[in-house]
Amino acid sequence: MRKTLLFTLLIGCMAFSACQKNLDVFVPDLPNSTDTWYNTITSAMPVSGLKADLRLPIYKDSFNVNGLPVTATTGSGLQCYFPSGSIVSAGGMPVVGTVDLETYLLKSRGDMIKMSTPTTSNGRLLVSGGEIFIRLSQNGTELQLAQQQAGQYFLEFDDPQPSALMNLFTGDESNLSLFNWLPTADTINRVFTSSQTYSIRTNRLRWINCDHFFDTTGIPQTIISAGLPLNFTNANSMAFISFNDIRSVVGMYGDVLTRQFSSGRLPANKQITVVVISKQGNDYYLGHQQSITNGSSTGTISSQEISVTPVLTSLSNIRAYLDTL
């Protein structure tokens, strides 16, 4: 009887162990979960697809060039003035006929996040009056501005409270993972204001920004990092800081060593919203957390971690939330 009992217990233990092994095999994992961070983001990574999913459709217009000055009003809200002979081919030859005009005019923080064009210049915070993209083409070939006409090409757009502090910045598109605005040294590029209008004199196309640096003189500063669950990495997620009271957006970039998204130096005592968006498999996640930037004393740089827990949502819900910023 004792041997029979021992044998029965032994069989039971073996069966329990086998069940545990089977349970280990069939425990579901998080979809595409990984805690790997990367020094280089590639186009094959989910975050690159996420950026493409969020990107706004570009406004497309056209006008006819026949040797006379042209004023074109775009669907994006820009008014563009091209003097006679100012639009040329890549080889510098004057263009005639139909010219296609593609534009963006970004005036909300949410649209700047959708386009991954934060308002920073070499790590310094900018306050934007509006981000502009403008491209000219004919039969699919990109066109240029004639340099002898420099200073005669104007852009205008409305703003209820234009600032006289604005200068012109151009977009550095050389690093798609780290979009940067560069101040223009050419005095031809100027921003003028009237009661409710920005008028930009420039010799540039593509990305242009009407900005001024946020003055941090005498203000404590802090660096913000986002505390996230392990499976939210720079391969599948992106993070931004939206300032609640100024038209400014800061990108938070992945650090392989700390395994966190972090900002550059930010002014203290500002109300902000940390926004995290992620794509994992076919699923989208959104997290946002409001806070106030801290800082101890002028001349010191403090650090601040803000916890964000993204939740499963839809792409349309993410877009709708960004429209509220």
Side-chain angles (χ1 to χ4, degrees):
M1 175 66 75
R2 182 176 296 175
K3 290 182 179 180
T4 302
L5 180 60
L6 290 173
F7 180 76
T8 301
L9 290 172
L10 179 61
I11 294 298
C13 289
M14 292 174 64
F16 179 77
S17 177
C19 288
Q20 286 294 98
K21 289 180 180 179
N22 287 336
L23 285 173
D24 289 342
V25 170
F26 291 104
V27 170
D29 198 0
L30 290 170
N32 296 315
S33 65
T34 176
D35 60 357
T36 304
W37 292 70
Y38 296 87
N39 286 312
T40 302
I41 302 301
T42 69
S43 60
M45 293 179 179
V47 69
S48 297
L50 175 60
K51 289 182 179 181
D53 293 341
L54 287 174
R55 194 172 183 87
L56 294 165
I58 198 164
Y59 284 90
K60 296 183 178 182
D61 300 278
S62 62
F63 55 88
N64 188 56
V65 176
N66 57 7
L68 298 175
V70 175
T71 299
T73 301
T74 72
S76 63
L78 286 170
Q79 189 171 56
C80 311
Y81 173 75
F82 303 97
S84 175
S86 63
I87 302 173
V88 298
S89 66
M93 297 299 295
V95 169
V96 294
T98 300
V99 170
D100 295 317
L101 175 62
E102 296 175 290
T103 60
Y104 288 112
L105 174 58
L106 310 181
K107 296 200 290 184
S108 75
R109 294 177 288 262
D111 282 351
M112 293 170 186
I113 290 176
K114 290 175 190 175
M115 296 298 293
S116 294
T117 53
T119 59
T120 50
S121 175
N122 297 327
R124 294 182 61 189
L125 180 64
L126 296 169
V127 180
S128 178
E131 296 181 353
I132 298 166
F133 178 85
I134 181 166
R135 177 169 52 208
L136 300 169
S137 63
Q138 188 175 63
N139 300 322
T141 301
E142 196 157 342
L143 303 176
Q144 300 177 353
L145 294 175
Q147 289 307 297
Q148 62 266 29
Q149 298 282 2
Q152 299 183 47
Y153 159 49
F154 278 86
L155 299 171
E156 288 188 352
F157 62 94
D158 294 335
D159 189 280
Q161 294 181 314
S163 169
L165 298 175
M166 296 299 181
N167 293 302
L168 201 64
F169 291 72
T170 56
D172 179 3
E173 301 178 66
S174 61
N175 185 346
L176 297 181
S177 298
L178 189 66
F179 192 92
N180 188 37
W181 294 102
L182 300 174
T184 56
D186 192 338
T187 56
I188 287 174
N189 294 275
R190 296 275 305 278
V191 179
F192 305 91
T193 59
S194 61
S195 59
Q196 291 188 321
T197 304
Y198 283 113
S199 181
I200 298 171
R201 185 182 71 189
T202 182
N203 56 4
R204 306 276 184 149
L205 293 175
R206 299 188 69 84
W207 282 108
I208 303 168
N209 201 349
C210 174
D211 290 275
H212 68 82
F213 285 110
F214 185 94
D215 187 5
T216 56
T217 304
I219 298 176
Q221 298 180 67
T222 187
I223 294 173
I224 303 292
S225 60
L228 293 166
L230 290 178
N231 57 308
F232 290 86
T233 74
N234 64 338
N236 57 35
S237 307
M238 54 185 183
F240 297 89
I241 293 172
S242 173
F243 283 76
N244 296 4
D245 61 344
I246 54 176
R247 193 181 290 166
S248 298
V249 171
V250 171
M252 303 178 74
Y253 300 102
D255 189 308
V256 173
L257 295 179
T258 63
R259 300 163 76 84
Q260 283 187 316
F261 290 96
S262 298
S263 73
R265 298 180 181 183
L266 305 179
N269 302 314
K270 298 293 289 182
Q271 292 186 342
I272 61 168
T273 303
V274 178
V275 180
V276 178
I277 309 170
S278 183
K279 184 177 185 180
Q280 302 182 36
N282 293 320
D283 295 324
Y284 296 91
Y285 296 82
L286 170 66
H288 48 89
Q289 182 63 51
Q290 294 203 24
S291 187
I292 298 177
T293 56
N294 63 26
S296 54
S297 61
T298 304
T300 62
I301 307 299
S302 62
S303 59
Q304 180 180 358
E305 181 176 305
I306 298 174
S307 296
V308 183
T309 304
V311 298
L312 183 65
T313 187
S314 65
L315 182 61
S316 60
N317 283 343
I318 293 173
R319 288 182 177 138
Y321 169 73
L322 295 177
D323 287 340
T324 68
L325 296 177

